[in-house]
Amino acid sequence: MNLREAVRITVASSAAVVLLGGCSAAEPSRPTTSSSMPATTIAAPRPADLAKQRATAAYLGMWSDMADAATTSDWQSPKLAQNATAEALQTISRSLYADHYNGLITKGRPVNHPSVQAAEPPADPTSVTISDCGDSTNWLKYRADNGQPADDGPGGHRRIEALVKKAVDGSWKVTTFAVHEVGSCSG
């Protein structure tokens, strides 16, 4: 039996149970009364809302993946491609390679507060623009050989802009992002 036949049999059996369930020789039928409770329906999420949620999740995932790889400056981590592609992935890989080459690692985690600025096309977006005031206060570089802080200055709040696009396979990935200088936004 294939899946289509199994579905037909299940549907037919379910329909028979429903139809026969109301028939009983022992119990006379009673008139139905309407309930004062309204029927609850769950509305399906709109495509635009789903797109914004998935794009934001990809954006946050990119930063999490980057923070994980930065603990060892692993510019070749396969995790990096889960939420980033194109220019964004290249930027992350180059940055981690430079840290590896210079004997640096990064400790801590960034704190992000993304908000969707635009979604195009509006009815069923395939492109979402995100703005963030990321906080790198507790996400700093250290020397890999001795664990001492690297002289790269303190972290802080930075304005970040990102473009997240829906891929052919339906996944969402950050394609570009720009991180501005410390103090370019207030947390």
Side-chain angles (χ1 to χ4, degrees):
M1 174 185 320
N2 66 28
L3 180 60
R4 182 174 283 164
E5 290 170 334
V7 169
R8 273 193 224 135
I9 291 170
T10 303
V11 170
S13 298
S14 297
V17 169
V18 169
L19 290 173
L20 295 175
C23 300
S24 171
E27 226 179 286
S29 66
R30 288 181 237 153
T32 58
T33 58
S34 68
S35 169
S36 61
M37 298 290 292
T40 57
T41 57
I42 298 173
R46 295 183 344 199
D49 293 334
L50 282 175
K52 291 174 185 177
Q53 291 169 2
R54 290 178 179 155
T56 301
Y59 174 80
L60 291 171
M62 177 193 75
W63 286 106
S64 179
D65 296 342
M66 188 183 341
D68 290 345
T71 62
T72 60
S73 295
D74 182 3
W75 78 95
Q76 296 173 320
S77 171
K79 285 182 73 174
L80 298 175
Q82 290 177 5
N83 293 293
T85 191
E87 186 181 322
L89 181 57
Q90 292 172 355
T91 299
I92 294 166
S93 295
R94 279 192 299 249
S95 173
L96 290 171
Y97 179 79
D99 286 352
H100 170 79
Y101 183 82
N102 292 311
L104 301 175
I105 59 170
T106 306
K107 295 181 182 180
R109 312 270 313 163
V111 177
N112 300 95
H113 306 284
S115 64
V116 172
Q117 298 303 303
E120 297 296 329
D124 192 8
T126 56
S127 178
V128 174
T129 303
I130 291 179
S131 180
D132 188 3
C133 183
D135 184 0
S136 61
T137 301
N138 296 310
W139 195 41
L140 303 171
K141 295 189 186 301
Y142 293 82
R143 296 213 34 86
D145 59 355
N146 62 18
Q148 295 299 310
D151 190 14
D152 69 339
H157 290 90
R158 302 166 183 264
R159 189 178 55 155
I160 305 168
E161 295 138 358
L163 181 61
V164 188
K165 291 189 174 186
K166 186 175 183 179
V168 176
D169 67 0
S171 66
W172 286 82
K173 295 188 181 205
V174 179
T175 58
T176 62
F177 69 98
V179 179
H180 298 274
E181 68 281 351
V182 171
S184 52
C185 66
S186 59

